[in-house]
Amino acid sequence: MRVTFLGTGSAMPVSGRAQSGLLLESDSNTLLVDCGSGVLARLAETDVGYEGVSSVLLTHVHLDHVSDLMPLVKARWLVGEDDLEIVGPEGTEALVDGLLDVHDYMKDRLDISVREVGPHEFGIAGFDVMGYEVRHSVPTLAYRFTNELGESDLVVSGDTEAFEGLTDFADGASVLVHDCSFPDDVDVSNHPTPTKLGETLTGRDIDTVFLTHLYPHADRVTGELVERVTAHFDGEVKVAEDGMTVEF
């Protein structure tokens, strides 16, 4: 399995970081997870390109995770592709319907299929996925992905507070991509700070944790983020960067 970080930023722009999005590839399958502002341009820089992505999985419907969704629809139509599958938690159908109402000239340009999922098993783009409900201000799901051989699990947290239920869900995974929006000196809800994240990771068997969804406050102190998490967690911890590719 291979993950390319397309966007590691947040709702407050930071130079060099697009909003949330990552590209997941196996030997024969591709999937885009989230599609925030700037992600489409990053996707165009990959070998897969937007031509090669026919399925999008949303963690939730906040703007910084979906704002390039309609540009993706239009780009695929302009290059002659004819379909797009959009899957996500509660609110996904209303989001897509609303976007098409606003951009009504895009209706019927592509065969768009929309499906809502929850904290259960489902399939998308050839991947087996388990959803897990996390703690955010709107319905949000974390996802655990398994490759065709039933191994090399990847977990993507979505936007969430740090809590032990989620790190239990991720236990045993090769890679965990986790929200780390703010440093410890910011009083925040619906997102984690690194010390709280590290505490919930204590004793978990996860090879590598990638910190993402960085607000400017966190982007200025990335070394501190890693230090605070590794004070409690024995695995490898890295700060995700746009364009970074990880194979496992």
Side-chain angles (χ1 to χ4, degrees):
M1 217 185 291
R2 179 165 70 176
V3 172
T4 301
F5 291 95
L6 302 175
T8 58
S10 66
M12 296 176 67
V14 174
S15 178
R17 294 187 189 277
Q19 292 181 348
S20 294
L22 61 83
L23 178 65
L24 178 59
E25 301 173 76
S26 67
D27 289 341
S28 56
N29 302 308
T30 60
L31 175 66
L32 179 62
V33 182
D34 285 338
C35 194
S37 178
V39 167
L40 183 61
R42 294 276 196 252
L43 182 59
E45 296 168 353
T46 68
D47 292 337
V48 172
Y50 47 81
E51 303 93 331
V53 171
S54 59
S55 297
V56 181
L57 179 61
L58 303 177
T59 59
H60 64 297
V61 300
H62 274 164
L63 187 61
D64 54 320
H65 293 253
V66 304
S67 56
D68 267 6
L69 195 55
M70 284 307 297
L72 174 61
V73 170
K74 185 169 183 177
R76 284 183 58 77
W77 167 59
L78 288 172
V79 296
E81 299 296 334
D82 57 10
D83 66 314
L84 184 67
E85 177 186 26
I86 301 170
V87 177
E90 178 187 345
T92 300
E93 291 183 0
L95 169 74
V96 176
D97 288 345
L99 289 171
L100 290 172
D101 284 342
V102 171
H103 306 283
D104 59 354
Y105 73 103
M106 290 305 302
K107 288 183 178 179
D108 302 321
R109 299 294 191 182
L110 293 184
D111 178 12
I112 299 176
S113 63
V114 182
R115 176 165 45 116
E116 292 191 350
V117 293
H120 53 71
E121 292 186 56
F122 61 94
I124 179 173
F127 293 96
D128 293 324
V129 188
M130 173 65 79
Y132 183 82
E133 186 175 358
V134 296
R135 298 175 180 175
H136 198 45
S137 54
V138 297
T140 304
L141 294 173
Y143 297 114
R144 185 163 183 154
F145 303 88
T146 306
N147 68 9
E148 296 95 331
L149 300 178
E151 58 190 17
S152 300
D153 287 32
L154 162 73
V155 177
V156 177
S157 74
D159 288 8
T160 180
E161 297 178 6
F163 65 105
E164 292 184 353
L166 176 53
T167 53
D168 285 343
F169 175 70
D171 197 21
S174 298
V175 172
L176 169 61
V177 178
H178 202 293
D179 177 0
C180 193
S181 292
F182 296 96
D184 284 346
D185 60 0
V186 177
D187 184 15
V188 63
S189 60
N190 298 312
H191 294 285
T193 56
T195 292
K196 179 62 176 177
L197 175 56
E199 290 171 350
T200 65
L201 285 166
T202 301
R204 302 304 190 273
D205 179 20
I206 300 168
D207 292 342
T208 307
V209 175
F210 288 90
L211 309 179
T212 191
H213 201 265
L214 303 187
Y215 275 78
H217 320 58
D219 186 61
R220 291 191 289 263
V221 291
T222 54
E224 176 186 314
L225 303 181
V226 173
E227 289 175 4
R228 297 294 175 88
V229 175
T230 55
H232 302 273
F233 173 62
D234 293 335
E236 187 174 27
V237 179
K238 295 182 178 182
V239 174
E241 304 288 345
D242 286 21
M244 178 186 288
T245 296
V246 181
E247 296 195 32
F248 55 99

